[in-house]
Amino acid sequence: MTPVFSHGDLRLYLLNLLDEGPRHGYDIMQALSDRTGGTYTPSAGTVYPRLSKLEEEGLVTKSVDGRKTVYEITDAGRAEVASRASDLEGIEAGLTDSVRLIADEVRGSVRDAMKSLRADLAAASRAETADAASAPRTASDDTRTRSREQVHRADALVSEFRARIRSDLRTHVARGGELAASVVDDLERAIDDASRSIVRALKG
């Protein structure tokens, strides 16, 4: 997959993040993920050694705040960020391009996976049709066919219900509405009741 940062660029970008204000390690990793739209989430093994190197070079200091280690840029670090402003602009531009390329690669992988899945489903459907055509049909076969059709119909109904409920709940919350626990409790009870009714009908 396309690399997000070229060699040496992450070091300068870390300095740039700390130039915005002191940060602890997890905050730095989260900021990198946010700036890349979630396409790049560095590991602790990637970030902390670079922070230690910056500290050795006198560009960063660290202090302990409770259980967190906070990193802060020094005057020398600020001077390097200021002197390499044009490099940072290039990194930002490259970052945008890298994120776009990664997104394109992910979309391509998803399209390929969906194409492969559709081909597999089509092949399975053809094989099932061929098997059904070569065997004499019985009343039991007809029952299974009708049952499969109803299963597909039930799947569609459940999917539609799920999508509609999720949309209604998220829209309500997004508009500032309160989602009380009692509402979710009612939903859980209604689903349980419907499930028990279906089980009774299947056994009946």
Side-chain angles (χ1 to χ4, degrees), residues 99-120:
V99 170
R100 184 169 57 249
L101 288 172
I102 289 173
D104 289 342
E105 289 176 12
V106 170
R107 280 193 292 269
S109 297
V110 170
R111 281 196 299 269
D112 291 343
M114 290 301 296
K115 187 183 298 182
S116 176
L117 177 60
R118 283 194 293 269
D120 290 344

Side-chain angles (χ1 to χ4, degrees), residues 2-61:
T2 305
V4 173
F5 288 96
S6 300
H7 180 69
D9 286 351
L10 180 57
R11 172 187 176 280
L12 181 56
Y13 203 76
L14 289 173
L15 272 179
N16 183 51
L17 288 175
L18 292 173
D19 192 35
E20 298 173 358
R23 298 175 185 266
H24 55 82
Y26 176 78
D27 186 35
I28 292 172
M29 289 185 279
Q30 188 61 49
L32 287 167
S33 178
D34 292 342
R35 301 289 173 91
T36 59
T39 59
Y40 175 65
T41 303
S43 65
T46 297
V47 170
Y48 284 109
R50 284 171 171 80
L51 290 172
S52 295
K53 181 65 174 175
L54 291 172
E55 184 183 8
E56 290 175 9
E57 295 173 8
L59 304 176
V60 165
T61 61

Side-chain angles (χ1 to χ4, degrees), residues 4 35 90-101:
V4 173
R35 301 289 173 91
I91 292 173
E92 291 285 2
L95 200 58
T96 300
D97 291 340
S98 295
V99 170
R100 184 169 57 249
L101 288 172

